[in-house]
Amino acid sequence: MQGKDSLSLDAHAHVAPSRSACDLADAGAVLACTLSLDEARGVARRRDPLVAWGVGCHPRLVEAQASFSRALLEELVERAGVVGEVGLDARWSKVSMDDQMRVFRTVLEVVQRSPRILSIHSFTATRRVLDELRRTPVAAPILHGWTGTADETREAVALGCSFSVHSAVARRSVFHTAVPPERILVESDQGWADPPAAIPCRVEWVEHLLSVQLKRPREEVRRLAWANLATIVQETGTRHLLPPELGALLDGPRRDPESPARLLTGSAPALHGRYTAARGDGVTKRDPVRALESLPNIGAEAAGRLREVGIATPEELARVGSVEAARLLARARPLDPPCRSLLSGLEGAIRGVRWHAIPREEREALWTAYCHVRGNGYAKP
């Protein structure tokens, strides 16, 4: 296990239940949100040292919402320290708002009686979520990927909310104008099918973005995130429900402001000029890498967008693949999703050729696959 001086903390990620303990060894400390009660039931007995598995029912997933059961939720919450991802979505969900509201209200009622670390989805439904939290107050709720207005943000703070911030929203000014530092957490919003080893890199990038917003050293942002989660754990009384190894790390930050968070070495601009090699001895090794811009079809703008979603090197792009990379780009900027040319350009970059050298039928197959995984919201292998 990594020493806590270099351990990243991800307050909201999605991890496929099929991932082994070995797959998670380099993921850092993670609150792993599930997408359905069925998925949560499948991971309920896992004992990963630094991964706290949540109980979720994602508002975009029709099947998850339709099969929601209060009895099963209550059963699973008895053994889980984290509830998430839950909430409301007024734009991308195919589930009626009435049905979403029914599920979300039930979740809040259960968590009000049995406080848990609660991660709430509120995309384009910020006002509705705040109204529900006012209607059914819960201890220390966490608003994931928050996009509310400044006034809504101040209202959320008054309701006791914290905010888990990922790269797509980290540049929003509300996080330094309306949110107290003690309410900030860092998340990757890692996709269900993405490799867990990519999480620390994505967390580091968000820490850098927040350090610019908050005008604090990146090291302090990480210390802040650990201390803030420790406070939430105390307020919700969930220490005994977390993995003992993770709980031990959270015991420290409130007493010792230097724990657990000396960051990995390296200047902020260099965050995306390196990658973490496989470790067999517990030591993080840094290897020289080529820049994304060295690939065909990848200019400065495309490279910047890839770095926003944690794809920092040609090796990482090849490992993720063009379709999944495009899905991540679309999720980060839903109003500016990749076009056919960009998707083909990503595939060409991986192959080392100009995009127009890829046969038309192959480009069409790529586009069909991309539309499928984007329509599903979360790609599954």
Side-chain angles (χ1 to χ4, degrees):
M1 185 188 303
Q2 287 181 305
K4 63 183 180 180
D5 63 338
S6 63
L7 194 66
S8 65
L9 173 62
D10 189 346
H12 184 106
H14 297 281
V15 179
S18 59
R19 296 291 184 181
S20 67
C22 184
D23 292 332
L24 299 175
D26 291 330
V30 180
L31 305 187
C33 294
T34 56
L35 304 178
S36 68
L37 295 186
D38 185 58
E39 182 182 328
R41 178 164 49 189
V43 299
R45 299 194 181 280
R46 288 193 64 146
R47 293 295 178 265
D48 299 287
L50 296 176
V51 178
W53 293 89
V55 178
C57 185
H58 200 286
R60 290 182 187 172
L61 299 185
V62 175
E63 185 176 343
Q65 293 275 309
S67 62
F68 176 81
S69 158
R70 181 177 188 133
L72 180 55
L73 173 68
E74 291 175 334
E75 175 188 335
L76 294 170
V77 163
E78 287 183 7
R79 301 192 299 268
V82 179
V83 171
E85 181 172 358
V86 298
L88 304 173
D89 190 305
R91 175 173 293 179
W92 299 115
S93 181
K94 296 180 180 179
V95 181
S96 74
M97 185 52 66
D98 285 346
D99 286 343
Q100 291 184 53
M101 199 77 78
R102 174 184 58 82
V103 170
F104 187 46
R105 286 178 174 175
T106 301
V107 171
L108 291 179
E109 290 168 4
V110 170
V111 174
Q112 186 182 62
R113 290 200 307 275
S114 302
R116 296 294 185 267
I117 302 168
L118 177 63
S119 189
I120 300 174
H121 178 110
S122 61
F123 188 64
T124 66
T126 51
R127 177 72 264 155
R128 288 183 172 97
V129 165
L130 293 179
D131 289 345
E132 292 307 308
L133 287 173
R134 190 174 295 281
R135 178 179 180 271
T136 309
V138 296
I142 301 170
L143 299 174
H144 142 69
W146 177 250
T147 58
T149 66
D151 286 343
E152 288 175 333
T153 303
R154 284 186 281 269
E155 182 180 347
V157 170
L159 288 170
C161 296
S162 293
F163 303 80
S164 60
V165 180
H166 57 65
S167 62
V169 300
R171 294 182 176 88
R172 299 191 68 228
S173 61
V174 294
F175 294 119
H176 72 84
T177 61
V179 179
E182 61 269 20
R183 300 289 186 85
I184 294 287
L185 297 168
V186 176
E187 65 166 77
S188 69
D189 197 21
Q190 170 95 348
W192 196 89
D194 299 345
I199 288 176
C201 177
R202 293 173 179 176
V203 169
E204 287 182 45
W205 179 234
V206 179
E207 288 168 343
H208 165 60
L209 295 175
L210 283 172
S211 75
V212 175
Q213 284 277 26
L214 302 178
K215 296 181 171 55
R216 295 169 179 242
R218 189 163 57 93
E219 294 85 351
E220 189 175 339
V221 173
R222 182 169 288 194
R223 284 195 292 271
L224 193 65
W226 275 98
N228 292 347
L229 182 59
T231 299
I232 292 170
V233 168
Q234 183 182 66
E235 291 180 358
T236 55
T238 49
R239 168 67 172 80
H240 66 292
L241 293 168
L242 301 177
E245 297 85 350
L246 177 57
L249 291 175
L250 289 165
D251 287 341
R254 291 174 58 84
R255 297 192 300 268
D256 175 8
E258 294 302 312
S259 174
R262 184 182 62 79
L263 268 160
L264 295 169
T265 57
S267 62
L271 275 176
H272 291 291
R274 68 195 191 192
Y275 72 100
T276 303
R279 294 195 295 276
D281 55 1
V283 177
T284 299
K285 300 176 182 178
R286 303 290 174 179
D287 290 344
V289 295
R290 294 178 296 146
L292 287 166
E293 290 88 343
S294 69
L295 298 174
N297 314 310
I298 305 296
E301 181 179 353
R305 290 189 64 176
L306 288 167
R307 290 179 181 119
E308 275 186 21
V309 298
I311 299 173
T313 68
E315 291 80 4
E316 288 172 349
L317 177 59
R319 183 170 65 246
V320 170
S322 59
V323 171
E324 178 62 11
R327 186 185 70 84
L328 293 172
L329 295 177
R331 186 172 62 181
R333 298 190 192 181
L335 299 181
D336 184 25
C339 62
R340 290 172 181 264
S341 296
L342 178 52
L343 175 61
S344 297
L346 294 172
E347 180 65 22
I350 293 170
R351 299 185 189 189
V353 300
R354 298 293 295 173
W355 69 268
H356 50 72
I358 301 173
R360 180 183 296 274
E361 60 272 19
E362 293 184 23
R363 299 201 303 267
E364 287 301 313
L366 285 169
W367 183 253
T368 299
Y370 162 67
C371 291
H372 174 71
V373 299
R374 188 181 174 208
N376 286 348
Y378 290 88
K380 297 188 178 183

